[in-house]
Amino acid sequence: MLIQLDISNYVLIDQLSLKPGSGLNIITGETGAGKSIMLGALSLLFGERADKNALFDEGKKCIIEGAFQIQTKAVTNFFEENELDLSNEIVIRREITKEKSRAFINDTPVNLNVLRQLAAFLVDINRQHDTLSLNDATFQINIIDTFANHKLSYDTYQIAYTSLKQNQKLLKELEDQERKIKADQDYYQFLLDEFGELDLKDGEIESLESKQKQLANIDEIQKVLESIRFGLEESDQSVISNLNTINQGIQSIKKFDSNIEALALRMTSSIIELKDITAEVASTLESLSSDPLQLSQINQRLDAIYKLQRKHRAANFAELEKVRIEVEQNVANIDGIGNKIAALSASIEQLKKQCYTLAAQLSAGRAKVIPTFEKELKKLMHLVNMPDAVFKVDSFIPEPGYLDQYGQDKIEFIFSANKGNQPLPLNKVASGGELSRLMLAIKTSVAGNMKMPLMVFDEIDTGISGEAANKVGNLLKQLAIKHQVIAITHLPQIAAKGNHHFHVYKEVSNHKTTSLIKELKEQHRVSEIARMLAGDNFSESALTSAGELLKA
């Protein structure tokens, strides 16, 4: 239950503290006094986005803090899963400035999604216009599922259905990818065949280019090498012949000087080296021959390689090989994607079977409780002064093989408030007051299964008065036996049913209007109910009537 709500610097509230008790807590006040502002603040605690323009004083921080006392297995699990510290009290705090908004649970920073998840365990807020959700198919099927209390079956179905949708999405992506690849299949295969026909080896380009240069310049190479050989060995004044003569002279005097002996060794070594060079030149000349056919073949081979390089913008063998591997992978992917599609399709069929089986279980659970739900609503509608109302739940499968996030069923609430009228869908027959009472009856019917410690009703009495209001108050009081209920109301019949009564009022100070709240006791409560009955200038008879309402 909510044990304290503190609000500062929010809309018309400078500083306010509310300490509701157990049972039925009533909040009243004149129109515009700020009753629903507190509901807005409470909603902020549970993840609603903050309006930075709602600051009472833009230069100060808005702080909303709520302390709750609850210990359930679900809450304990939630705190463990989100790595939050759990104590006897759960303190939720929102801090809002013009620049940013922050949220905390037991002083640990959290995001708004975590607050919304926690709200599911703590509070059910029914705003003034939430009765419109009665017309929503999602709301209607959720009500039946809550009444059926088959959360485990529903959660199991949700897991299977989510997997099914994820796999179907993945299958579509793979099929789109396969279509694209297949459209390019011939092109990729053509490219791969080009690489296969060329059969290029690492280092081949450099080798071919070297051989091409040699064959293209064979005459010049032979001419120069022949000149070198002639100059070294064959001419009358050949280099080697002259060096031999010089060497003979050096050999003859080396015995006279050790330095000359070293020169003699070097001269002998040079002559040997030049003779080796001459032999190498001769050998190279013998191996060289003009081969126009080979040159033509090399030119053709290089032309094919250069063409492929230009086509794929590859500067060398490594870049060309990278392209070849990518093309090869694209070709291989066609078979790979086909295998993935086949495996995924089989998995989807299995998930479909599982979903249909689980959906059938949900349908059976709903069908089982619908008659009981209808009887419960009939009884509750009598309690809210709609004794002639007819309420039916139409459950059907829209089409063969239909499946959505709730299973196979579509649920539609059929209603007639008055005797003799044909029951029709809610949006065609129900007035605002009837919807308010019907919403209260529905929430009462499922409250036990919701296991909600706090239920908040913002003017659930819209569009009703007199005996109907009295009966709505009785139903709220009945609901408050097992739940903490906060009801914002403008009807004295409902206000008189409360275990605790809070009055919201405005006060002007320093040319600023603020909203305040106080708990009413005894005579002050009588006076407030008299005001609700007869206005600000209420009479003694209004006070008497108020006292009678409180005793009823």
Side-chain angles (χ1 to χ4, degrees), residues 274-484:
L274 283 174
K275 286 182 177 180
D276 187 60
I277 290 172
T278 302
E280 188 69 30
V281 168
S283 175
T284 301
L285 277 169
E286 289 178 10
S287 66
L288 290 175
S289 61
S290 178
D291 192 341
L293 179 60
Q294 186 182 19
L295 179 59
S296 175
Q297 290 172 341
I298 289 174
N299 286 336
Q300 290 176 8
R301 175 73 172 165
L302 285 173
D303 284 346
I305 293 171
Y306 294 155
K307 182 179 179 182
L308 200 61
Q309 281 183 307
R310 288 193 300 272
K311 184 174 185 176
H312 296 290
R313 297 180 181 179
N316 49 47
F317 172 81
E319 292 182 9
L320 206 56
E321 181 66 7
K322 183 180 178 181
V323 174
R324 185 194 67 78
I325 292 171
E326 288 176 357
V327 172
E328 192 176 58
Q329 187 63 47
N330 283 329
V331 173
N333 280 346
I334 296 170
D335 293 333
I337 288 178
N339 293 335
K340 288 180 182 178
I341 287 174
L344 194 57
S345 297
S347 176
I348 286 172
E349 288 306 309
Q350 286 297 112
L351 282 170
K352 277 185 179 178
K353 290 178 182 178
Q354 184 183 1
C355 284
Y356 283 122
T357 299
L358 294 170
Q361 293 174 7
L362 288 176
S363 297
R366 291 164 185 156
K368 183 178 179 180
V369 302
I370 282 173
T372 306
F373 181 69
E374 291 172 340
K375 289 178 183 177
E376 179 73 11
L377 260 291
K378 177 66 177 175
K379 181 176 70 174
L380 291 168
M381 286 189 295
H382 188 83
L383 293 178
V384 292
N385 206 35
M386 291 194 291
D388 297 322
V390 176
F391 180 87
K392 296 290 182 184
V393 178
D394 187 11
S395 176
F396 58 95
I397 298 175
E399 60 188 41
Y402 180 81
L403 209 63
D404 67 11
Q405 66 267 40
Y406 299 103
Q408 293 180 285
D409 304 318
K410 286 291 184 182
I411 296 290
E412 188 169 38
F413 289 172
I414 309 297
F415 179 75
S416 169
N418 302 303
K419 186 180 291 186
N421 288 352
Q422 177 69 27
L424 293 171
L426 287 175
N427 62 337
K428 296 182 179 179
V429 292
S431 67
E434 290 162 352
L435 283 176
S436 295
R437 283 177 281 167
L438 181 58
M439 174 66 89
L440 177 58
I442 286 173
K443 286 298 180 78
T444 302
S445 70
V446 298
N449 289 345
M450 289 170 69
K451 297 181 176 61
M452 196 63 63
L454 171 62
M455 301 187 76
V456 180
F457 294 93
D458 179 21
E459 299 192 14
I460 194 71
D461 48 29
T462 299
I464 63 172
S465 59
E467 184 57 25
N470 185 56
K471 291 189 173 183
V472 166
N474 287 333
L475 193 54
L476 284 170
K477 193 167 185 176
Q478 177 184 319
L479 189 61
I481 294 172
K482 294 183 178 180
H483 305 268
Q484 183 188 37

Side-chain angles (χ1 to χ4, degrees), residues 111-131:
N111 59 43
L112 295 188
N113 188 48
V114 174
L115 288 188
R116 295 185 192 113
Q117 292 174 34
L118 180 58
F121 303 108
L122 299 182
V123 65
D124 178 47
I125 298 177
N126 301 272
R127 294 173 180 82
Q128 189 173 350
H129 301 293
D130 282 354
T131 52

Side-chain angles (χ1 to χ4, degrees), residues 495-551:
K497 306 293 182 182
N499 302 106
H500 310 275
H501 190 157
F502 299 88
H503 177 59
V504 178
Y505 60 99
K506 286 181 180 178
E507 200 172 76
V508 179
S509 177
N510 297 324
H511 307 290
K512 259 197 170 182
T513 301
T514 59
S515 287
L516 300 167
I517 191 169
K518 62 183 176 182
E519 185 171 4
L520 302 179
K521 300 291 186 181
E522 300 174 359
Q523 190 57 42
H524 291 101
R525 189 175 183 193
V526 175
S527 298
E528 171 62 7
I529 292 176
R531 182 198 64 78
M532 296 174 74
L533 282 166
D536 290 337
N537 298 317
F538 52 83
S539 63
E540 191 65 35
S541 62
L543 284 170
T544 302
S545 297
E548 290 172 354
L549 276 176
L550 284 167
K551 292 175 183 177

